[in-house]
């Protein structure tokens, strides 16, 4: 019951961005990480990045995250889960370079403002 309550509360907190447009970052092939990016330039939370690890070992990857459709042009504040925000400078293609680690058969998420 506690898990369901926590999941529902998380969904309610991020409902607006979760119901916004989705960009698939990598095809889910079960061989490496998979990710989707929810975007909406009209919200305070411009993006919500969901990353998944289907493998049986912990992974650490560095990827380019396309933020063009978030409406951000210069800087992005990114925080993993409910952690503290870290500033990232967007490159000329409106992307940031993000390094992450994910436990085996697990996921993580990032809030982008």
């Amino acid at each position: 019951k506690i898990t369901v309550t926590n999941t529902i509360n998380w969904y309610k907190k991020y409902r607006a961005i979760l119901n916004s447009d989705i960009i698939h970052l990598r095809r889910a092939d079960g061989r490496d990480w998979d990710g989707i990016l929810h975007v909406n330039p009209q919200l305070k939370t411009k993006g919500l990045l969901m990353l998944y690890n289907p493998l049986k070992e912990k992974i650490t990857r560095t990827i380019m995250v396309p933020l063009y459709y978030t409406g951000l042009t210069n800087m992005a504040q990114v925080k993993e889960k409910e952690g503290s925000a870290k500033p990232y400078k967007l490159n000329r293609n409106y992307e940031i370079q993000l390094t992450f680690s994910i436990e085996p058969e697990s996921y993580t998420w990032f809030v982008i403002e």
Side-chain angles (χ1 to χ4, degrees):
K1 182 176 178 180
I2 293 171
T3 302
V4 172
T5 302
N6 289 340
T7 303
I8 290 170
N9 289 338
W10 180 84
Y11 174 76
K12 286 180 178 179
K13 181 176 182 179
Y14 295 107
R15 178 187 317 223
I17 191 67
L18 289 169
N19 290 334
S20 298
D21 295 334
I22 294 176
I23 299 170
H24 291 269
L25 301 179
R26 186 176 184 283
R27 176 173 291 181
D29 59 6
R31 297 181 200 169
D32 204 357
W33 68 275
D34 170 30
I36 57 174
L37 175 63
H38 299 267
V39 295
N40 191 335
Q42 299 171 345
L43 299 175
K44 178 183 181 290
T45 301
K46 305 292 186 187
L48 192 134
L49 176 64
M50 303 286 297
L51 298 170
Y52 307 93
N53 176 12
L55 305 176
K56 300 222 181 276
E57 68 258 358
K58 181 177 179 178
I59 62 170
T60 300
R61 302 284 187 271
T62 300
I63 62 170
M64 297 303 286
V65 181
L67 297 181
Y68 178 81
Y69 293 104
T70 63
L72 298 170
T73 56
N74 191 29
M75 294 293 291
Q77 296 292 325
V78 180
K79 60 182 174 179
E80 185 169 8
K81 298 182 180 176
E82 300 296 332
S84 58
K86 183 177 174 187
Y88 286 84
K89 183 160 177 48
L90 278 69
N91 66 17
R92 292 180 65 168
N93 291 327
Y94 303 101
E95 300 169 324
I96 60 169
Q97 184 173 322
L98 180 69
T99 300
F100 61 89
S101 294
I102 308 175
E103 294 299 320
E105 299 176 336
S106 185
Y107 70 95
T108 190
W109 49 279
F110 293 85
V111 175
I112 302 166
E113 296 176 343

